[in-house]
Amino acid sequence: LPGRLLIHALQNLGLDEDCRRILADHGVDLDAVAEIEADPALGNGGLGRLAACLLDSVANLGLPAYGYGIRYDCGLFAQQIENGWQVERPDLWLGHGNPWEIPRPELVYPVRFGGRVIDQGTPARPGHAWIDGDEVVATAYDMPVLGYESRRLNTLRLWSPRAAHELDLHSFNNGDHAGAFSRKNAIESLSQVLYPGDAAQTGRELRFKQEYFFVSASVQDILRRFLRRRRSLDRLPDDIVIQINDTHPSLAIIEFMRLLLDRHHLDWQHAWHLTRRSFAYTNHTLMPEALETWPVRLFESLLPRHLQIIYEVNDRFLRNVACRRAEDPALIRRMSLVDEEGERHIRMAHLAIVGSRKVNGVSKVHTSLMCRTTFADFAALYPGKIVNVTNGITFRRWLHEANPELVALIRSRIGDRWFSHPDELAALAPHADDPAFRAAFRAVKHRNKLRLIDLIARECGVAVDAGSLFDVHIKRIHEYKRQLLKLLHVVALYDRLRHDASLPGASRVVVFAGKAAPGYAMAKLIVKLIHDVARHIDGDPAVAGRLQVAFIPDYSVSKAQVIIPAADLSEQISTAGHEASGTGNMKLALNGALTIGTLDGANIEIREAVGEENFFAFGATIDEVAELRAGGYDPRRYCPDGTELKGVLDLIASGHFSPAAPDLFKPIVEGLTGGDPYLVLADFAPYLQCQERVEADYRDVEEWTRRAILNVSGLAGFSSDHAVRRYAELVWNAGPRVGETASADRAEPHAAAAAE
């Protein structure tokens, strides 16, 4: 999710002000031009945006790097709302082409599926050949990744599939015109949609093929560029490192092994030594349902050679484990790359850990949990292998571009050296005590709110008041991110106000945005409930001017750049222990929002950085969550008759917000009272108490502004530049090479580029 690139590129080149002035001289508004650009739909949620931030920082620091992915025809999906329900439409971001991409027709690689493996070796030198099956051709498209002040030009290389043979001419000539193109269409479906639905077997198989398609092309490209310099393969780990962003690319480890074994004819020990030293793995989740596994049968039918290599890796690994801990047979089952319970699956996270030089978590608490819980066996086996690199965000996008007025205000006080040295933003802290600076800060926030008000009016048809507290919950819709907890608070406020409109407190605008996965029924029902509650509140004169709810559809980087600078309150309320890090928490705090949050993920480090008094913490801690679950958590004890929570749940269950379908939201209430896996009800009372502190503190305008400024300055250490420096030091052993470009292979002859 790199976001629109025009303004970003102009700022990095130092041309934005000149361009804006020159266009204005000709009656053209640069911002209106920028609005024409489509958001590149290349990722999903925070993980896709994090990848873009890291690529930006790698270029800014002068490190030579490529990013790799698939050139999707359609992104995740375009979210539309019809009668409150999410409806998915194709996100046709390439409908008018992509002016930033450079087609590389000379860079093509074969990618094989299916077929069979034959033994071509001898007892002294084993060898295998993977033959037959279907072959797909991966073609490269390059997008520039420009460092700040043009320090370096790196490349995001995207792969597009095409059939080796465009059509079956025999079938076409025999009248089967549709069938003649069926194979071509099936192959090109690899890049049609990001994350196809996996409820059906065909969708799951397509995801599996997408993952292998892009890692195979990428690994072939990496080895081609390395060998072009005519260096010994022994130099591989010294010259390159391949960072796996979660488990989706972890097949790259086995593809790397396959090429070293079958194409370059290395022996096993040599190939595995080079592979393990060439890869590094970032883990982004410990949730069991999100730890990727693939059925063995998919490998058997689509990647038979890779399954052989996985079995060999696993056999050698488990023999090593058994030598160290022979007295613990259960350990073998826990650590195996193959899950033998039920249908056999390959555990991709285990593969990534075993096949990497370093493994990192993305916040201090997440890394600690990796070592203490899910991957404790691996942490004991490989002391020091699991390290922490807390996520970061690029200030160049999330402050310079998203909030230019605030940037101008900050520059007026501390200069602009922090543009390239983000740690120096901390120098802003003393200005929080200056009344004139606070007044100017509030004026910027007010104008940013007016921009968001325009967006809400266009997208939601709702008029909101800029004097309200802007309370923002913008995330992928998921039960652990607890949009429901925020919504229960909204219903509680509504119920209080409709019974007593004279209650003290600030008027509040609650802004939601985010997409629910197409197959996630509960998440989509939550979206519907948000809309029905919003519509009901908007039509009730008893709460007019005091409480409003807006759900901004089709959340994107561009919309985030409008929402985030306007926020007063940042909702980071995941169940403790479930959010590995978060980056929305950083973006909102960097733009002057105070955070209300659980002690989860990077929230803990943000709270330490900005000061506990400038962060609204609430709810069960990670250890308390574990204790509640271990003790047989019963959510019903938190909502006995007569309590506010029981009243809120009854309002929802009774059909108050859905009179035409009174039972519509009963599944939500039944899920909360029957099991409540994310402890929404346990945290409801502490959350409401914390929100009452928010309301009281917001009424002190000067103090709130002071704390907001301290949040901006306190985020100095959360730049993705800082995260990339830690990767370079802890994981990559890499240093900057300012002045080079990572695009040198554009100058080589086409034949040489395609020789691999």
Side-chain angles (χ1 to χ4, degrees), residues 126-181:
H128 298 82
W130 182 18
I131 62 172
D132 300 334
D134 292 326
E135 189 172 285
V136 180
V137 175
T139 304
Y141 289 78
D142 288 354
M143 291 177 66
V145 180
L146 184 66
Y148 181 61
E149 294 182 337
S150 310
R151 293 180 181 185
R152 184 174 182 85
L153 177 65
N154 283 337
T155 298
L156 172 59
R157 180 158 288 171
L158 305 173
W159 300 109
S160 185
R162 61 178 174 83
H165 306 286
E166 290 295 307
L167 70 108
D168 181 346
L169 190 58
H170 178 75
S171 297
F172 190 88
N173 288 335
N174 285 336
D176 184 8
H177 298 162
F181 288 94

Side-chain angles (χ1 to χ4, degrees), residues 289-363:
E289 66 271 24
L291 288 172
E292 190 178 38
T293 65
W294 289 109
V296 166
R297 58 184 163 77
L298 278 182
F299 283 90
E300 291 171 337
S301 62
L302 295 172
L303 302 178
R305 177 60 178 139
H306 296 73
L307 184 59
Q308 288 182 342
I309 297 171
I310 288 171
Y311 282 159
E312 181 71 13
V313 169
N314 196 41
D315 181 62
R316 291 170 181 253
F317 168 65
L318 292 181
R319 277 191 275 131
N320 180 36
V321 173
C323 287
R324 300 190 187 194
R325 300 274 296 277
E327 75 286 355
D328 188 359
L331 183 69
I332 302 295
R333 291 194 299 274
R334 293 199 306 270
M335 299 188 75
S336 175
L337 274 58
V338 183
D339 183 353
E340 304 281 357
E341 294 187 17
E343 183 183 11
R344 298 168 77 231
H345 284 72
I346 306 300
R347 295 162 164 158
M348 305 310 286
H350 289 204
L351 170 62
I353 293 172
V354 171
S356 295
R357 62 158 81 167
K358 287 285 187 181
V359 177
N360 75 277
V362 290
S363 70

Side-chain angles (χ1 to χ4, degrees), residues 50 108 113 122 127 287 336 338 342 347 368 376 378 382 422 427 444 489 494 513 543 545 661 680 692 720:
L50 173 66
V108 295
F113 295 102
T122 66
M287 295 175 64
S336 175
V338 183
R347 295 162 164 158
S368 173
F378 291 96
Y382 302 123
V444 169
H489 173 231
Y494 161 73
V543 297
V680 173
E692 289 168 2
S720 49

Side-chain angles (χ1 to χ4, degrees), residues 365-383:
V365 69
H366 171 236
T367 303
S368 173
L369 285 171
M370 287 175 68
C371 296
R372 291 192 290 116
T373 60
T374 309
F375 301 125
D377 295 326
F378 291 96
L381 182 67
Y382 302 123

Side-chain angles (χ1 to χ4, degrees), residues 194-468:
L194 168 66
Y195 288 162
D198 61 355
Q201 172 60 27
T202 52
R204 188 153 175 78
E205 181 176 312
L206 180 54
R207 284 199 191 193
F208 183 71
K209 293 172 75 173
Q210 284 180 337
E211 291 188 9
Y212 177 65
F213 165 75
F214 109 82
V215 301
S216 177
S218 302
V219 168
Q220 291 181 69
D221 191 55
I222 289 165
L223 287 174
R224 175 193 63 81
R225 289 189 290 109
F226 173 81
L227 292 168
R228 188 187 63 213
R229 291 186 277 176
R230 306 187 188 284
R231 298 190 179 185
S232 165
L233 286 171
D234 290 339
R235 289 285 306 276
L236 269 169
D238 300 318
D239 282 16
I240 66 169
V241 61
I242 303 172
Q243 186 74 41
I244 299 174
N245 193 26
D246 218 357
T247 55
H248 305 104
S250 54
L251 277 170
I253 293 169
I254 302 303
E255 177 70 354
F256 204 78
M257 277 292 288
R258 182 185 74 85
L259 294 173
L260 293 182
L261 292 169
D262 298 351
R263 186 174 294 181
H264 298 286
H265 308 295
L266 273 58
D267 63 61
W268 180 276
Q269 288 84 356
H270 193 188
W272 185 239
H273 172 72
L274 295 178
T275 299
R276 285 193 69 193
R277 290 181 58 215
S278 297
F279 280 86
Y281 161 51
T282 301
N283 173 271
H284 288 281
T285 182
L286 298 177
M287 295 175 64
E289 66 271 24
L291 288 172
E292 190 178 38
T293 65
W294 289 109
V296 166
R297 58 184 163 77
L298 278 182
F299 283 90
E300 291 171 337
S301 62
L302 295 172
L303 302 178
R305 177 60 178 139
H306 296 73
L307 184 59
Q308 288 182 342
I309 297 171
I310 288 171
Y311 282 159
E312 181 71 13
V313 169
N314 196 41
D315 181 62
R316 291 170 181 253
F317 168 65
L318 292 181
R319 277 191 275 131
N320 180 36
V321 173
C323 287
R324 300 190 187 194
R325 300 274 296 277
E327 75 286 355
D328 188 359
L331 183 69
I332 302 295
R333 291 194 299 274
R334 293 199 306 270
M335 299 188 75
S336 175
L337 274 58
V338 183
D339 183 353
E340 304 281 357
E341 294 187 17
E343 183 183 11
R344 298 168 77 231
H345 284 72
I346 306 300
R347 295 162 164 158
M348 305 310 286
H350 289 204
L351 170 62
I353 293 172
V354 171
S356 295
R357 62 158 81 167
K358 287 285 187 181
V359 177
N360 75 277
V362 290
S363 70
K364 290 178 182 177
V365 69
H366 171 236
T367 303
S368 173
L369 285 171
M370 287 175 68
C371 296
R372 291 192 290 116
T373 60
T374 309
F375 301 125
D377 295 326
F378 291 96
L381 182 67
Y382 302 123
K385 185 172 187 175
I386 300 177
V387 298
N388 180 63
V389 181
T390 298
N391 284 343
I393 58 173
T394 170
F395 291 8
R396 289 168 291 283
R397 164 93 45 190
W398 294 106
L399 195 55
H400 301 184
E401 185 177 341
N403 205 340
E405 285 197 57
L406 181 56
V407 169
L409 178 61
I410 295 170
R411 287 177 72 179
S412 72
R413 293 301 181 100
I414 64 171
D416 57 12
R417 182 174 157 80
W418 59 275
F419 282 22
S420 53
H421 297 80
D423 289 353
E424 297 194 14
L425 186 60
L428 187 67
H431 298 280
D433 294 321
D434 180 352
F437 186 79
R438 291 198 300 267
F441 186 92
R442 284 195 299 276
V444 169
K445 179 69 74 174
H446 179 79
R447 288 189 288 272
N448 286 331
K449 285 184 173 183
L450 295 178
R451 290 173 60 218
L452 177 54
I453 286 169
D454 288 343
L455 178 65
I456 291 171
R458 290 196 310 271
E459 297 284 346
C460 310
V462 176
V464 301
D465 179 12
S468 302

